[in-house]
Amino acid sequence: MTTPIDPGFLGYQPTIEPLKLTTGASFVQTIQPSGGAVFPAGTTIAIVLTAPGGTALGSWSATVTPTAATWNVPSVTCDAIPANSRYTMLVTYQTAPPTVYAWYAGSVVRT
């Protein structure tokens, strides 16, 4: 008899990772789909930031192609984000209705 695996939660679980920002440096990141997959047409990906107290700090949209999502956020923008802020990377697929996943989430670490 096989026992079903219980993940301990329902729903999609984002990958929990810190977002590291270095004072004086741009945030540069590229994410590629794995295993030869592609991002469907119309996919959008954004990093949504909130201050430690929950105040919205804005969002950074990626440039999305079928094979990559890339960010190049200037240091003047990054330097304004305080340590211990929170971020969520939201991926939106243009289904009907649109499907939104929290792909990554975590805290901001400053170096």
Side-chain angles (χ1 to χ4, degrees):
M1 177 200 253
T2 303
T3 303
I5 297 173
D6 179 6
F9 57 85
L10 294 176
Y12 182 81
Q13 176 69 30
T15 301
I16 306 299
E17 294 286 342
L19 176 79
K20 188 176 285 190
L21 298 177
T22 301
T23 301
S26 299
F27 172 75
V28 179
Q29 180 71 50
T30 299
I31 295 177
Q32 298 175 305
S34 60
V38 297
F39 291 119
T43 298
T44 61
I45 304 174
I47 295 172
V48 178
L49 297 145
T50 56
T55 303
L57 295 173
S59 64
W60 302 340
S61 295
T63 300
V64 180
T65 67
T67 58
T70 58
W71 288 264
N72 188 349
V73 181
S75 63
V76 67
T77 301
C78 298
D79 287 352
I81 306 301
N84 299 316
S85 295
R86 302 285 305 163
Y87 83 94
T88 304
M89 182 186 295
L90 297 175
V91 179
T92 303
Y93 296 114
Q94 298 305 315
T95 55
T99 303
V100 180
Y101 287 97
W103 199 3
Y104 284 86
S107 61
V108 173
V109 176
R110 305 275 338 168
T111 58

